Amino acid sequence: MQHVLDAIQSDASSDDFANLVIPESYRAVHVRKDEQDMWKGTPANEKDPRKSLHVGEVPTPELAPDEVYLAVMASSINFNTVWTSIFEPVSTFGPMARLGRESSWAKRHDRDYQVVGSDASGVVLKVGSAVRNWKPGDRVTVHCNHVDDQDQSAHDDSMMAANQRIWGYETNFGGLADLAVVKANQLMPKPAHLTWEEAAVNALCNSTSYRMLVSHNGAQMKQGDVVLIWGATGGIGAYATQYVLNGGGIPVCVVSNAEKAQILRNMGVEHIIDRAAAGYQFWKDEHTHDEGEWRRLGKDIRDLCGEDPDIVFEHPGRSTFAASMYVAKRGGTVVTCAATSGFMMEFDNRHFWMRLKKLVGSHFANYKEAWEANRLISKGMIHPVMSQVFALDQTGEAAFQVHHNMHEGKIGVLALSPEEGLGVTNQELRDQLGDKIHAFRRA
Ligand code: NAP
């Protein structure tokens, strides 16, 4: 791929890019089908992504008419790569086998390996015959909503599409690689003031938080709304916090240590709960809730801001869900996109129906929502939350850190980009924004 990198670094023309030879194989982070049972009987927290994520050459697949080959300069770790690497809650080879049955092009995805990764920034190398809006040489970021746009169900809200999938999680040829295969309707312009790695960390988490809080498909936050944000310096929480601050809401942010609390204070957050210091125990044991602890959380929120939350931004799942449903105010909304700590939920329905609350399930974002979220990054109104950068060969270690909650914000991964700091083409906006771009960066 050196010839591709040379073209990118010398700002080659679109024609030059179009004439580049696409290599027959490429370096990629992948899991192997013959290892999908390797963790049988092992507790989830002992399953080690460093052992199941392999880095090596894989063959380049053929390009479908609605796709592009992307030279990936950088990518990022999302929690879904952790799920894939520990084969939980299911092995992702099942969804790819189902995808493979849909069409002859889809069949390419069903292999004995899966290239993972659901974020990327890079340069378009070659476009399929049906691609109209993008050309070789375009600098882009990629969102992970993979839909068949010839299916009628994809044409109201594409997240409602019957065959909607997450690229690099439920499909093959993902972004943690030097090359990726991407549908043209996943492409968005790269924010010009960001480096490749800063541009690569946003799309999945930023778009998810945009839909959950801002979109009419989510909680539709308005000025003055109190929003309880679990994991407020994690991947999705860090963007959620920015949306609440930008939109005139009042964030009440939950984190688990003093360093994370300090990041939030630097961002301008006033109301912060350190859940580790507070020591909430919402479950007395595996089967028994402690309602008194829900009340204690509710009181702590009232003591901080004088009100109950209009919206709860929920994703930890089983450990917090009942408390979230309890503390949301009368008529308030709990919006959820995940269940990190367990997906079998239980809550006291009396507090839900008697107080007329709403529960909104949310999953990633449609193209329009992802585009709007990317536009806000491009305008310097929402910022990347990158804390560390790893080399592609170190992806296993990066995923291990996310698995064990050892990180803040997002972890960037360099693919073709030989070093950090490259790719900026709007230095003026970067200078104007100053430290805001680095709010999560570890010293
Ligand atoms: P992340 O970077 O690991 O952040 C999650 C944060 O949640 C952690 O930083 C932690 O913060 C907090 N947390 C973890 N376990 C908790 C618990 N038991 N109780 C309370 N807080 C807890 O992950 P992420 O990228 O934000 O993703 C979060 C979840 O959303 C994952 O399950 C992911 O798969 C899912 N997700 C879903 C979508 C979708 O489209 N449906 C999109 C993105 C992510 P503190 O320790 O500081 O409290």
Side-chain angles (χ1 to χ4, degrees):
M1 295 289 283
Q2 187 58 45
H3 65 300
V4 172
L5 185 58
D6 290 345
I8 294 169
Q9 293 193 305
S10 64
D11 229 350
S13 70
S14 181
D15 285 346
D16 290 340
F17 274 105
N19 289 326
L20 290 177
V21 174
I22 306 294
E24 285 178 6
S25 68
Y26 63 101
R27 186 179 61 138
V29 179
H30 57 277
V31 287
R32 289 177 12 197
K33 197 176 196 169
D34 63 0
E35 291 185 343
Q36 63 183 332
D37 294 325
M38 68 191 282
W39 303 121
K40 269 215 165 118
T42 309
N45 64 350
E46 288 172 27
K47 297 178 181 178
D48 189 340
R50 294 172 297 192
K51 297 200 172 120
S52 50
L53 290 174
H54 304 282
V55 185
E57 289 289 307
V58 298
T60 305
E62 222 184 314
L63 193 67
D66 61 345
E67 292 174 342
V68 310
Y69 284 131
L70 182 76
V72 181
M73 293 300 274
S75 181
S76 90
I77 304 296
N78 284 294
F79 214 95
N80 65 9
T81 291
V82 176
W83 295 125
T84 306
S85 69
I86 62 174
F87 301 107
E88 284 213 25
V90 291
S91 161
T92 40
F93 286 99
M96 280 191 303
R98 281 193 292 283
L99 169 59
R101 290 194 285 273
E102 286 184 2
S103 71
S104 53
W105 286 114
K107 202 168 174 7
R108 291 168 305 161
H109 290 264
D110 185 13
R111 300 190 175 210
D112 56 6
Y113 64 88
Q114 179 189 14
V115 178
V116 296
S118 300
D119 270 322
S121 66
V123 179
V124 174
L125 288 182
K126 182 173 178 173
V127 301
S129 56
V131 175
R132 294 184 311 279
N133 299 333
W134 304 93
K135 59 181 189 320
D138 283 347
R139 294 168 160 236
V140 296
T141 58
V142 178
H143 76 75
C144 62
N145 183 16
H146 183 279
V147 284
D148 174 358
D149 56 15
Q150 291 182 27
D151 188 309
Q152 54 78 20
S153 64
H155 284 272
D156 180 6
D157 168 7
S158 61
M159 287 307 298
M160 294 292 183
N163 50 16
Q164 186 280 329
R165 289 182 171 84
I166 298 296
W167 167 72
Y169 175 61
E170 295 161 302
T171 81
N172 218 319
F173 320 132
L176 283 161
D178 289 339
L179 190 93
V181 175
V182 176
K183 282 184 185 277
N185 63 13
Q186 291 177 251
L187 298 177
M188 309 186 292
K190 174 189 169 290
H193 65 293
L194 299 181
T195 64
W196 293 112
E197 58 280 8
E198 289 163 353
V201 299
N202 307 301
L204 189 147
C205 285
N206 182 35
S207 312
T208 301
S209 299
Y210 180 92
R211 181 173 174 117
M212 288 175 78
L213 288 177
V214 182
S215 169
H216 63 91
N217 291 312
Q220 282 183 281
M221 190 202 77
K222 61 181 189 326
Q223 293 182 41
D225 278 354
V226 173
V227 185
L228 179 71
I229 304 171
W230 290 104
T233 59
I236 51 176
Y239 294 101
T241 300
Q242 296 185 64
Y243 281 114
V244 178
L245 288 169
N246 277 9
I250 302 164
V252 178
C253 291
V254 186
V255 286
S256 62
N257 65 41
E259 292 75 34
K260 292 178 178 182
Q262 189 55 48
I263 294 175
L264 293 170
R265 257 180 236 112
N266 296 344
M267 290 166 74
V269 176
E270 203 181 323
H271 308 306
I272 301 166
I273 295 175
D274 181 335
R275 69 179 171 103
Y280 302 118
Q281 296 290 339
F282 299 128
W283 290 85
K284 286 182 187 159
D285 59 49
E286 214 184 308
H287 307 288
T288 323
H289 289 278
D290 188 340
E291 257 195 73
E293 287 292 89
W294 308 345
R295 289 207 183 85
R296 184 157 75 91
L297 172 66
K299 180 174 182 311
D300 288 349
I301 297 167
R302 281 188 190 174
D303 286 349
L304 279 172
C305 70
E307 297 172 67
D308 295 330
D310 296 273
I311 299 170
V312 180
F313 185 87
E314 165 64 41
H315 53 92
R318 186 168 171 82
S319 62
T320 56
F321 190 75
S324 295
M325 294 294 268
Y326 176 80
V327 299
K329 92 177 206 197
R330 184 178 280 265
T333 302
V334 175
V335 57
T336 177
C337 73
T340 312
S341 65
F343 49 80
M344 290 305 281
M345 307 303 189
E346 215 179 71
F347 64 95
D348 186 336
N349 198 18
R350 291 168 299 177
H351 300 296
F352 184 64
W353 96 71
M354 294 293 286
R355 297 192 181 133
L356 303 103
K357 304 181 188 186
K358 292 181 277 297
L359 176 61
V360 177
S362 193
H363 187 39
F364 187 58
N366 61 39
Y367 195 4
K368 178 66 176 164
E369 290 162 340
W371 189 280
E372 288 300 322
N374 186 62
R375 174 174 162 263
L376 291 168
I377 299 258
S378 294
K379 293 182 98 57
M381 296 170 75
I382 295 285
H383 309 291
V385 296
M386 189 179 74
S387 56
Q388 303 176 74
V389 181
F390 283 70
L392 192 72
D393 292 344
Q394 293 300 310
T395 297
E397 174 59 31
F400 177 86
Q401 295 206 6
V402 172
H403 185 24
H404 292 281
N405 196 14
M406 295 158 69
H407 67 300
E408 304 85 33
K410 296 281 306 174
I411 295 183
V413 176
L414 294 181
L416 278 177
S417 186
E419 57 185 300
E420 290 181 44
L422 306 177
V424 175
T425 51
N426 183 348
Q427 188 64 44
E428 195 184 337
L429 177 56
R430 191 175 178 84
D431 292 343
Q432 268 171 35
L433 295 172
D435 286 345
K436 289 178 182 161
I437 298 172
H438 311 295
F440 279 71
R441 197 65 213 248
R442 284 190 184 174

